[in-house]
Amino acid sequence: MKPLFTRGPSPEFRLLVLGLLAVVLIAADHYTNWFQSTRERLSGFVAPLYWLTDAPERVGEWAGEQFRSREELQEENSRLKRQVLLLEQRSQLLAAVKAENTQLKELMNAAEMVDDRVLVAQVIGISPDPLEHVLLIDKGRDDGLDVGTPVMDASGLLGQVIEAGDAFSRVLLITDASHAIPVQLLRNSMRSVAEGTGHLYHLKLRHLASTSDIREGDLLLSSGLGGRFPAGYPVGEVVSVTRDPGRPFAEAEVLPRGRMNRSRFVLAVVGDRGQGLAGE
Amino acid sequence: MQANNRWLVAATIFLSLLLAVMPLPQQWLWFRPAFPALLVIFWISQLPQALGVGFAWLVGILEDLATGASLGTHALALAVLAYFSLLTYQRTRAFNPLQQLLWVFVLVGINQVVGNWVHGLEGKTVPGLTFLWPALTTALLWPWVAPMLRGMSRRLDIR
């Protein structure tokens, strides 16, 4: 027989207990990292959700690959061949420069630059929360990724891994409002910190001395300070510098080099990290 | 209460989680309807003797895990929402569609306010009242989703 009234604790009591429990969880999750490993283990449940939502995209890509015409493929092939030729020529040049550089560094007794091992990962989702810039990628601890692994694309740094499951990671982008990355100018090695603003095309350099030598078009590289990001990868380009005499500091706006919301494939740098400041 | 086609509840909740993480263009993210909240309101009004605050809380935890929010954010919001739905489900059944729509707006609005409060604790600031957009889009979905699900649950004899 159907019970006429609900049994057990009243809804008020349940709300009180579960509400308090939720508040405790929120506080614990925010101020400690107790749940990091739980979350990572439960990614086995989360990853399929993102795989499923990504499926239409992948079917579309697959269909696009399958039904490409012969001419298109040939054209692409020859274009890629030309590109490979160009890149090879450039890398030959680079090899010579690199050898010379190592030699010079040996002369100066400086630490040797280590080649980073990179891994190609596919973006399978973005965070549904409009307040955070987080990508989900299809590589995890099984592939050597860990919390803190830097992630980049062909044109610049994108961000770092903040949660690594077995075959699934969350990547916090450098444009997220809670992110900051140590950088230096390519032109004069001036150091600063580029903060995310929550906008996909904006980074900010705050608290620059108003006399500092920085101007539009300057390229910013990661400085490697802090040991999180490897040194020498492009971060962004200065688009404007504000020097207000009424304020103690100058500010600069930076356009990130990495294509934050357009990269389908990204590179995870799983090699050695924290080589210190390059070129000093 | 016999064990019957309760799998429909689980299946729709799973679907709502999928919709909650589906990729959308950046500028549309603010308008994504709160699908899990919609489903919680519907199932509580449909099965108030079986589902309640605890059910909503569990859905919330799953949503937190799926979206990567702080553990407990959606659990808290949905538990509060479930409590108010439980208090009012007898009245809302007698409402006309427009009144129901408005009431769903208020319920999801409460859900969003709680979620926004947690965001505030974490230091994420939201411009103005943008966090209430999902309440509006969810309310506008209600007149379509509710009759559809009601028809399905009647045919499957879910009690």
Side-chain angles (χ1 to χ4, degrees):
Chain A
M1 190 183 137
K2 224 190 240 181
L4 203 53
F5 300 104
T6 43
R7 292 200 201 114
S10 66
E12 286 82 9
F13 181 73
R14 291 182 201 212
L15 178 66
L16 190 68
V17 171
L18 290 173
L20 279 178
L21 186 58
V23 171
V24 169
L25 281 177
I26 293 166
D29 202 12
H30 188 55
Y31 293 110
T32 71
N33 54 1
W34 296 343
F35 299 130
Q36 183 87 19
S37 59
T38 321
R39 273 174 181 280
E40 290 177 354
R41 236 170 285 142
L42 284 172
S43 69
F45 153 76
V46 178
L49 283 178
Y50 286 91
W51 271 113
L52 277 174
T53 53
D54 191 42
E57 183 89 5
R58 260 176 293 130
V59 168
E61 267 175 25
W62 175 84
E65 297 271 309
Q66 295 300 308
F67 303 119
R68 209 91 76 84
S69 74
R70 196 182 141 80
E71 287 95 277
E72 262 181 339
L73 284 174
Q74 273 174 339
E75 195 183 315
E76 191 185 49
N77 197 2
S78 58
R79 189 166 52 80
L80 288 175
K81 269 185 187 158
R82 277 200 303 275
Q83 208 173 350
V84 164
L85 212 63
L86 269 170
L87 289 175
E88 261 177 6
Q89 183 258 343
R90 245 184 253 172
S91 81
Q92 274 171 23
L93 216 66
L94 210 67
V97 173
K98 209 170 155 188
E100 196 183 34
N101 192 15
T102 335
Q103 217 172 2
L104 288 171
K105 281 204 166 165
E106 270 169 15
L107 284 176
M108 292 168 60
N109 286 327
E112 200 181 338
M113 289 272 283
V114 188
D115 264 339
D116 297 314
R117 196 163 74 81
V118 290
L119 199 76
V120 180
Q122 192 172 0
V123 176
I124 58 171
I126 55 169
S127 166
D129 186 349
L131 289 174
E132 59 177 26
H133 293 173
V134 171
L135 293 179
L136 296 103
I137 58 174
D138 67 342
K139 294 279 188 291
R141 288 189 189 278
D142 290 350
D143 310 281
L145 269 69
D146 203 343
V147 173
T149 302
V151 173
M152 51 191 298
D153 69 0
S155 32
L157 272 179
L158 288 181
Q160 57 175 308
V161 173
I162 50 167
E163 191 186 312
D166 288 337
F168 167 81
S169 308
R170 285 179 200 273
V171 178
L172 185 70
L173 297 180
I174 55 176
T175 50
D176 187 278
S178 67
H179 197 276
I181 174 175
V183 292
Q184 65 180 170
L185 293 190
L186 175 67
R187 188 163 53 82
N188 56 9
S189 300
M190 189 187 86
R191 289 187 299 270
S192 182
V193 173
E195 291 174 23
T197 56
H199 297 279
L200 279 171
Y201 305 107
H202 282 294
L203 293 172
K204 231 180 184 126
L205 305 179
R206 279 178 220 268
H207 310 303
L208 294 166
S210 35
T211 51
S212 52
D213 177 18
I214 180 169
R215 51 183 183 230
E216 270 177 48
D218 275 346
L219 183 66
L220 292 174
L221 305 178
S222 55
S223 72
L225 285 177
R228 193 39 75 92
F229 290 98
Y233 285 113
V235 172
E237 204 174 288
V238 177
V239 284
S240 73
V241 183
T242 328
R243 290 179 217 271
D244 185 351
R247 292 217 205 148
F249 294 107
E251 272 188 2
E253 293 244 353
V254 176
L255 177 72
R257 264 296 186 85
R259 298 187 299 168
M260 298 297 157
N261 58 349
R262 281 163 293 160
S263 300
R264 181 88 177 132
F265 291 95
V266 296
L267 303 167
V269 187
V270 292
D272 271 16
R273 282 188 276 127
Q275 310 147 10
L277 207 61
E280 273 210 347
Chain B
M1 261 192 305
Q2 64 274 42
N4 44 29
N5 291 314
R6 286 281 168 79
W7 56 264
L8 183 67
V9 181
T12 51
I13 292 293
F14 179 76
L15 197 68
S16 75
L17 289 179
L18 269 188
L19 290 170
V21 302
M22 193 177 65
L24 283 180
Q26 192 75 21
Q27 61 271 32
W28 292 5
L29 281 180
W30 282 114
F31 305 103
R32 183 200 301 270
F35 292 105
L38 183 70
L39 266 287
V40 164
I41 295 173
F42 175 79
W43 284 121
I44 283 181
S45 70
Q46 196 73 9
L47 306 163
Q49 75 281 17
L51 304 174
V53 175
F55 158 74
W57 194 84
L58 271 181
V59 173
I61 286 288
L62 289 179
E63 193 182 352
D64 289 330
L65 284 172
T67 57
S70 277
L71 217 54
T73 312
H74 292 104
L76 180 63
L78 285 180
V80 173
L81 170 115
Y83 174 70
F84 285 111
S85 319
L86 268 183
L87 280 190
T88 55
Y89 74 91
Q90 282 138 326
R91 261 170 287 166
T92 48
R93 278 181 182 172
F95 281 175
N96 69 37
L98 184 67
Q99 283 171 318
Q100 282 193 1
L101 190 147
L102 285 173
W103 186 237
V104 170
F105 174 77
V106 171
L107 283 177
V108 182
I110 293 170
N111 177 66
Q112 293 301 112
V113 166
V114 176
N116 189 51
W117 175 69
V118 177
H119 271 149
L121 282 185
E122 292 170 347
K124 297 177 183 169
T125 46
V126 183
L129 288 175
T130 36
F131 68 91
L132 280 181
W133 278 114
L136 186 66
T137 51
T138 314
L140 292 177
L141 274 182
W142 178 261
W144 279 271
V145 175
M148 191 182 76
L149 284 174
R150 206 169 292 134
M152 275 165 87
S153 55
R154 197 168 294 150
R155 197 160 315 144
L156 290 167
D157 193 28
I158 295 178
R159 270 169 287 166

